[in-house]
Amino acid sequence: QQKDAGEPGPRTELDFWRMRLQKITSITEQLRTKERKQVYNLLQSVAKVNQDVGVQSRQSVFKTLRRWKEVDIGITESFNEAKDNVKYLTSLEKFIEPL
């Protein structure tokens, strides 16, 4: 049992990473939906069209796809970080309890 409930410690750290993993997992699941894939595929299709779409519109779509990919990479990295930290801290949990 912690000395002071407001005092940060190993248990607080483990709880933080568990909550973060839960939130990022929820975001990841939302990004895997059929609707999200349809929007992404539509943007890719628009980017491939040569005649029907203006140059500025295509550039806007390319920027959107690039940003989408950056956000996707960031979410994946955050997910992996949280998963690794939870795994590591959980392995130490039996030692955290007495603290």
Side-chain angles (χ1 to χ4, degrees):
Q1 184 179 19
Q2 283 185 316
K3 297 175 188 172
D4 181 7
E7 182 180 320
R11 167 61 56 198
T12 305
E13 190 73 14
L14 178 56
D15 291 343
F16 167 82
W17 284 108
R18 281 184 172 154
M19 182 60 70
R20 184 168 171 94
L21 180 60
Q22 183 180 14
K23 289 176 182 178
I24 295 171
T25 299
S26 175
I27 292 169
T28 302
E29 288 171 357
Q30 290 175 35
L31 291 175
R32 291 184 181 151
T33 63
K34 181 180 177 183
E35 293 82 8
R36 196 281 316 164
K37 290 178 183 179
Q38 288 174 336
V39 170
Y40 188 78
N41 290 336
L42 176 66
L43 288 171
Q44 285 186 316
S45 296
V46 170
K48 293 178 183 178
V49 174
N50 292 327
Q51 302 125 353
D52 299 337
V53 179
V55 174
Q56 288 182 346
S57 294
R58 282 173 38 105
Q59 288 175 346
S60 178
V61 170
F62 283 130
K63 287 179 184 178
T64 302
L65 286 170
R66 187 178 323 118
R67 180 68 181 132
W68 191 312
K69 190 67 172 172
E70 290 169 359
V71 169
D72 187 51
I73 289 169
I75 291 169
T76 300
E77 289 173 351
S78 295
F79 174 80
N80 289 335
E81 176 188 35
K83 184 176 72 170
D84 290 346
N85 285 339
V86 167
K87 181 179 177 182
Y88 173 72
L89 292 170
T90 299
S91 71
L92 300 176
E93 192 168 19
K94 62 184 171 191
F95 303 108
I96 291 174
E97 290 303 323
L99 299 178

